[in-house]
Amino acid sequence: MLGTKGTIACLARARRLLRIRNRLVRECLAELLSTFVLMKKGWGGSSAQKITSFETKGDLFTTYLAGALAVMVGIYIAGGISGAHMNPAFSFAMCLMGQFPWWKLPIFAVVQTLGSFISAGAVYMLYYDAIWHYSNGTLTVSGPRETASIFATYPADYVSIANGFLDQVIGTGVVILGVMGIMDTRNKGVPKGMEPPIVALVILSVGCSMTANCGCPLNPARDMGPRLFTYVAGWGPEVFSRGNGWWWVPLIAPMLGAAVGTYLYQLFVAFHHPEEDSDVLAEQGSIVLVNTAIDQDIAMSPTQKDTGGTAAAESPPSPSASSTASPTVPVTPLKTS
């Protein structure tokens, strides 16, 4: 009993000493931990097991399942604190939607990359003996006993840079489309608290159908962090030259794919939701663009609204702006569960 009380008292003192009140720091810590879990429990650890174990070699579904489940765990860990982006491409999509401030994007990207780098180190330590045994004592980036692909992604020998780039744009776009649909409170939606496993299923479906070309990175941090680790850990500069200099594709293509997925969802779904009061949408945590002002010259009458008419939307002009200012669409903040 005394031991229990002493432990509780010790934890209470530690909490008082270590508790961080700065919101940005707390978000960065949560993002770091969730990204670490994503890579350690998911892609990195499962890839190491698949590549170095002759018994499980070729069991791709296990790798993708582990990655999807790691996404789910990461969201549960940090979803209510940082949003559990774990991916600069998703952070970029949230910026495009006005759900995330642009100034935080580079900070989150660095933190996510750092989490992936640390996770790669943890995977290397955990599978140290297996990696050196499998590689016959030589850390190689190509060849039949290469081990660099445990950490970063590389295209198949027959895949061109252009084809791989398109692969990543489409793959990331599909993921963002799915996430947008899940988070859209004016769409079908999912029960509160069930978002993580549903997102995991989206990741699993993409992993099972779009990974043959280049391993399906879909995440600049997931690829660059481990690639930097392999560079400094002994694999050398070939980690940047293999695949005709493939390394930049997982950095750029997922960001473009995130923009494509975001805007496709808006153009095909979100823009066509019925008009609703922006305060109501904010209370619901809507992730879609919200029309809050209608130009008086083209506004609909109540009769037109009832018959399904449409009207163009634009933001109220600033005091110094002219009446021909470029249309913009304000958004409501995202409420994370």
Side-chain angles (χ1 to χ4, degrees):
M1 188 69 175
L2 292 176
T4 302
K5 289 183 178 180
T7 301
I8 293 174
C10 182
L11 290 174
R13 286 194 298 270
R15 181 176 184 272
R16 286 194 297 269
L17 290 172
L18 300 176
R19 184 182 181 189
I20 296 172
R21 291 175 172 80
N22 182 278
R23 179 177 178 180
L24 177 60
V25 175
R26 289 190 288 113
E27 290 176 346
C28 288
L29 288 175
E31 198 68 16
L32 180 71
L33 182 61
S34 61
T35 308
F36 175 86
V37 169
L38 168 67
M39 293 302 300
K40 176 63 186 72
K41 185 177 183 296
W43 303 115
S46 60
S47 294
Q49 183 167 287
K50 177 179 72 70
I51 290 176
T52 61
S53 174
F54 293 100
E55 289 77 13
T56 61
K57 196 171 182 67
D59 188 5
L60 295 177
F61 178 77
T62 301
T63 302
Y64 307 144
L65 179 61
L69 293 177
V71 170
M72 179 184 70
V73 174
I75 297 174
Y76 277 124
I77 288 174
I81 301 167
S82 67
H85 295 185
M86 299 180 287
N87 185 344
F90 181 74
S91 299
F92 179 60
M94 293 297 97
C95 288
L96 294 175
M97 293 295 300
Q99 304 284 345
F100 191 68
W102 284 99
W103 66 268
K104 281 188 179 181
L105 177 60
I107 298 174
F108 266 47
V110 169
V111 170
Q112 291 155 357
T113 303
L114 178 60
S116 295
F117 182 94
I118 297 172
S119 181
V123 169
Y124 179 68
M125 288 188 293
L126 180 63
Y127 287 96
Y128 180 86
D129 290 340
I131 289 172
W132 283 95
H133 172 73
Y134 176 79
S135 63
N136 289 326
T138 305
L139 300 179
T140 57
V141 182
S142 57
R145 292 297 182 94
E146 65 84 18
T147 48
S149 60
I150 290 174
F151 303 94
T153 62
Y154 298 91
D157 294 337
Y158 54 82
V159 176
S160 65
I161 290 290
N163 193 182
F165 190 94
L166 180 63
D167 176 283
Q168 286 306 288
V169 171
I170 294 176
T172 309
V174 169
V175 170
I176 295 299
L177 275 172
V179 174
M180 288 286 171
I182 292 167
M183 300 177 72
D184 184 357
T185 58
R186 292 188 290 175
N187 206 328
K188 181 70 174 176
V190 297
K192 187 175 181 180
M194 287 298 295
E195 296 90 344
I198 303 303
V199 171
L201 289 176
V202 173
I203 300 297
L204 179 61
S205 67
V206 173
C208 289
S209 61
M210 300 186 66
T211 56
N213 283 339
C214 49
C216 202
L218 306 177
N219 182 339
R222 170 258 181 278
D223 191 84
M224 181 50 65
R227 193 179 299 274
L228 289 172
F229 174 81
T230 54
Y231 175 73
V232 301
W235 279 264
E238 192 182 350
V239 299
F240 291 102
S241 61
R242 179 183 165 186
N244 296 318
W246 162 261
W247 67 270
W248 64 271
V249 175
L251 287 181
I252 305 300
M255 304 298 278
L256 178 58
V260 170
T262 298
Y263 291 131
L264 280 179
Y265 189 82
Q266 301 302 310
L267 291 172
F268 282 82
V269 179
F271 284 171
H272 313 294
H273 286 317
E275 297 289 343
E276 296 184 51
D277 185 82
S278 60
D279 292 335
V280 174
L281 295 177
E283 185 176 344
Q284 294 174 347
S286 176
I287 196 172
V288 297
L289 298 178
V290 180
N291 299 328
T292 59
I294 304 296
D295 192 302
Q296 295 300 320
D297 294 335
I298 55 177
M300 294 182 294
S301 67
T303 303
Q304 288 174 311
K305 291 180 182 179
D306 293 339
T307 57
T310 60
E314 64 178 40
S315 62
S318 62
S320 60
S322 68
S323 59
T324 59
S326 300
T328 58
V329 187
V331 298
T332 58
L334 172 65
K335 292 183 178 178
T336 55
S337 57

